[in-house]
Amino acid sequence: MVSLACRCIAHKGLCRSKNPNVTRRYHLRIVCAGVCSLSAGMLTQCPSMLLSARPARLKVTKACMASDARTGFTRSLQYLKHVGSRTAGGNGLKEARFAVNEAGFDVPITMSPEEAERLGHKPFGDGGAEDAPVRKPKVYTHGACASKLAAQYIVPCKNTARAPTDLAADALNILRSNGFVVLEDLLPAQDVRPLEDEAARFLNEYQDGFIPQPLRAGRTEGHLPFAMPWASSWLLKNDIVLEVVARYMINNLAAGRTQDEQQWALVQWLTSGADLDWFRRQDVQPKPGPLLDSPPAGCGDVGSASEKGPFFGRISLIKTPPGSPGQKYHRDINFPGPAAQLTIQTPLTPLLANNGPLAYVPGSHRMKTPGYEVIANPPLGSVVMYDSFCEHRGIENHASHDRYAMYYEFETRGVFSGYTATHFGPESGNHMRAFRDEVDPDLRRWVHRAEQAPRR
């Protein structure tokens, strides 16, 4: 068995540091020769997702790698979202602070901003900002820098005689191939425009029961209240969006399974060719048991144990202040892979090439890359749908004003995000459930239609 330190898509560096005392952003170190050869043939660079970081029960800086003999992989140790640490004794080493849930995932422990500052901790361990220039060529969807190459990622939705179902079919094909799709002019721009001021008011003023949280690279995220205008049907229940969600989200692997079980299944998915339809197999459907009946903390409790497919997850606002640096490439989830969580971005600030739009790596949800990134900066009223497993990053905000965007996501049962119901404040969970009650009946009608319709 040959050990191979692969190059990583996310930072183009060796996945293992030469200095064992330096905790770096490890991704994957492949030890199984069979998977190594497959990675070399399929990806040319190793995937940055398969093995999540787990601080384990040792000092992170003392041992950077821990062998997992069952899978033939070596698992990296790193911090998860908002996981704190403390200094042990007088040696300057930091111990991870976490709690492992019943599925084997590390659930973040909440700490006050004062304690985090005292301990020198940042969101996502290192703050999530890119510390080196991104060398990938940039392809812009709109504006003065727009490229004809980007047309393949866009579905024009305005002034067209085409039926919504046909537009949804186009969007689904693009999403399956690339991991994201731009629905250009899907919503009335005149209705979206006033929401920017509403967003600024909500995030910048005190809201009883809601606590905004720091996000990667200087951003701020806060859960939205179930109230107008955020609960408007035109904003949340567009039929094109719901049909795409219903037809795309076929990964039920997380339902009822542990992290190790999901991890091994993803290895099988990768070695079988990383095709999305692999998740239609009967042996990766929801697994009966206590984890399915009652998903543990940090795992999505959407829907019920008797249902599969997508449900509404949560909804939030994100503010990107002027001067915010670019983010590191990341996936919003690692497990259970693609087609399990889908995020809908509705920009509330007109997007420019340099005021904090998102950049995506096409095909990265299927472990591929064309060698460039696509920056989605469509006109106001547009929506971007992206698989949370697709690699992406926020671009620098060089403008003089804040950039606001609304995000809402759909997920299958059991998906681990690390978020709990009260992550964004003691009342955020109640409002989250109200949004679910509003959207799920419409969404589930589309899910039932998708189950009965022939596959396209």
Side-chain angles (χ1 to χ4, degrees):
M1 190 171 288
V2 180
S3 177
L4 174 65
C6 296
R7 285 195 172 274
C8 170
I9 289 176
H11 58 72
K12 299 287 197 312
L14 290 178
C15 290
R16 187 173 186 178
S17 171
K18 294 181 180 180
N19 183 351
N21 292 320
V22 175
T23 302
R24 294 185 56 185
R25 192 160 56 100
Y26 297 104
H27 295 284
L28 176 65
R29 180 174 169 82
I30 301 179
V31 182
C32 172
V35 179
C36 282
S37 60
L38 181 139
S39 295
M42 280 184 56
L43 315 175
T44 69
Q45 295 173 313
C46 84
S48 64
M49 44 61 67
L50 280 180
L51 305 181
S52 79
R54 181 184 294 183
R57 292 171 176 80
L58 47 84
K59 295 170 184 175
V60 176
T61 51
K62 182 177 181 181
C64 289
M65 311 299 286
S67 178
D68 187 337
R70 284 182 301 166
T71 63
F73 285 84
T74 301
R75 180 159 43 209
S76 64
L77 307 178
Q78 66 181 17
Y79 290 117
L80 293 181
K81 298 178 182 177
H82 306 295
V83 175
S85 64
R86 63 181 174 84
T87 301
N91 56 15
L93 298 180
K94 293 181 178 179
E95 292 182 348
R97 298 173 62 189
F98 62 95
V100 179
N101 69 14
E102 294 88 339
F105 289 99
D106 299 320
V107 181
I109 293 177
T110 302
M111 65 171 61
S112 67
E114 293 77 17
E115 182 183 7
E117 182 177 359
R118 181 175 60 83
L119 294 173
H121 296 313
K122 300 178 180 179
F124 302 88
D126 58 2
E130 185 58 71
D131 50 11
V134 174
R135 302 300 183 186
K136 277 188 174 67
K138 295 176 172 58
V139 174
Y140 294 86
T141 62
H142 295 81
C145 301
S147 167
K148 292 182 179 179
L149 181 62
Q152 63 185 300
Y153 308 110
I154 301 170
V155 176
C157 300
K158 187 177 181 180
N159 299 328
T160 176
R162 303 186 64 206
T165 298
D166 294 331
L167 297 177
D170 288 350
L172 178 62
N173 290 334
I174 295 173
L175 180 61
R176 284 177 59 89
S177 297
N178 301 289
F180 71 99
V181 60
V182 178
L183 300 180
E184 181 185 85
D185 296 318
L186 178 70
L187 306 174
Q190 67 271 18
D191 293 339
V192 175
R193 190 169 291 109
L195 299 183
E196 182 180 22
D197 289 340
E198 293 288 340
R201 187 178 304 110
F202 180 79
L203 281 183
N204 296 327
E205 298 177 4
Y206 172 77
Q207 306 293 335
D208 188 32
F210 293 90
I211 304 175
Q213 298 290 338
L215 197 60
R216 289 180 177 89
R219 279 73 169 169
T220 300
E221 181 177 18
H223 197 286
L224 279 169
F226 183 73
M228 294 300 177
W230 311 114
S232 302
S233 293
W234 66 268
L235 193 59
L236 295 176
K237 297 192 290 185
N238 182 276
D239 280 340
I240 295 176
V241 170
L242 295 184
E243 182 175 359
V244 173
V245 169
R247 293 184 178 276
Y248 179 76
M249 297 183 62
I250 58 174
N251 184 347
N252 295 279
L253 177 63
R257 289 181 176 84
T258 66
Q259 179 183 12
D260 287 342
E261 289 174 318
Q262 295 178 47
Q263 175 177 292
W264 180 239
L266 281 186
V267 173
Q268 294 177 301
W269 168 70
L270 177 61
T271 56
S272 70
D275 185 83
L276 294 184
D277 286 329
W278 184 89
F279 293 102
R280 299 184 187 275
R281 292 171 32 155
Q282 281 301 118
D283 58 336
V284 294
Q285 298 310 306
K287 179 183 176 182
L291 295 181
L292 178 62
D293 296 336
S294 182
C299 296
D301 61 352
V302 298
S304 68
S306 62
E307 300 172 293
K308 63 181 183 179
F311 295 85
F312 191 91
R314 67 179 69 247
I315 181 170
S316 64
L317 283 174
I318 293 181
K319 179 177 74 172
T320 303
S324 295
Q327 295 177 335
K328 293 179 178 179
Y329 283 114
H330 62 276
R331 289 175 160 91
D332 290 341
I333 63 168
N334 285 339
F335 298 102
Q341 187 183 85
L342 194 60
T343 301
I344 318 299
Q345 183 209 41
T346 304
L348 307 181
T349 301
L351 292 180
L352 307 174
N354 64 347
N355 72 336
L358 296 190
Y360 304 90
V361 180
S364 56
H365 67 311
R366 296 186 295 123
M367 312 313 296
K368 297 182 179 181
T369 174
Y372 58 82
E373 64 179 8
V374 177
I375 298 177
N377 58 324
L380 202 65
S382 303
V383 163
V384 183
M385 305 179 69
Y386 66 93
D387 192 314
S388 298
F389 191 68
C390 179
E391 280 202 346
H392 61 281
R393 69 186 186 99
I395 300 297
E396 302 86 349
N397 185 1
H398 291 150
S400 58
H401 54 275
D402 295 328
R403 190 275 282 168
Y404 292 93
M406 182 184 80
Y407 295 80
Y408 60 102
E409 61 194 37
F410 299 92
E411 59 189 35
T412 54
R413 190 169 176 84
V415 172
F416 178 77
S417 65
Y419 291 125
T420 60
T422 58
H423 179 83
F424 292 103
E427 288 299 319
S428 61
N430 294 328
H431 289 263
M432 174 186 69
R433 285 183 282 272
F435 276 106
R436 292 177 180 178
D437 291 341
E438 174 66 21
V439 177
D440 278 345
D442 294 80
L443 171 62
R444 296 306 294 179
R445 282 193 284 271
W446 280 109
V447 171
H448 297 323
R449 293 179 197 173
E451 291 173 345
Q452 298 167 4
R455 285 170 53 190
R456 299 184 179 182

